Amino acid sequence: MDKIIVEIKCPATMKSYEFRISKRLSAAEGIKKIIGEIRSFEGSEKLLDGELSLFSAKSGAVLCGEMSFAENGVASGDVLMII
């Protein structure tokens, strides 16, 4: 299976979101898509401006943008935080 389901915690909105993403997608491309979807859902294009990263609660580390979610060790059910 190429897709995984992850929980994304967003301190800016104080909400959690579930995303189904390709584990082959780079973390840098993934965060762009995730932020776009959150902006659309919340109806605010100004939300989540600036340089942002994804933090893995499981590994306790920021995901490397050049590596895929799988290469970063992200699996279905993991919790990631936008920082």
Side-chain angles (χ1 to χ4, degrees), residues 2-3 13 15 17 19 31 34 39 47-48 52-53 55-56 58-59 63 66-67 70 79-80 83:
D2 182 47
K3 302 285 184 177
T13 62
K15 295 180 183 177
Y17 308 87
F19 283 90
I31 194 165
I34 288 166
R39 284 178 178 161
L47 186 65
L48 300 168
L52 300 168
S53 299
F55 176 83
S56 170
K58 178 174 74 175
S59 70
L63 301 186
E66 294 84 36
M67 294 170 50
V79 176
L80 304 175
I83 57 169

Side-chain angles (χ1 to χ4, degrees), residues 5-58:
I5 297 174
V6 294
E7 179 181 349
I8 303 292
K9 292 192 178 276
C10 180
T13 62
M14 296 180 15
K15 295 180 183 177
S16 292
Y17 308 87
E18 283 192 2
F19 283 90
R20 185 172 170 232
I21 54 175
S22 170
K23 57 186 171 185
R24 289 189 263 161
L25 186 65
S26 74
E29 285 299 312
I31 194 165
K32 287 179 190 175
K33 289 184 177 200
I34 288 166
I35 288 170
E37 289 292 322
I38 291 173
R39 284 178 178 161
S40 177
F41 181 77
E42 297 296 339
S44 174
E45 286 301 313
K46 295 182 181 181
L47 186 65
L48 300 168
D49 277 341
E51 193 171 322
L52 300 168
S53 299
L54 291 171
F55 176 83
S56 170
K58 178 174 74 175

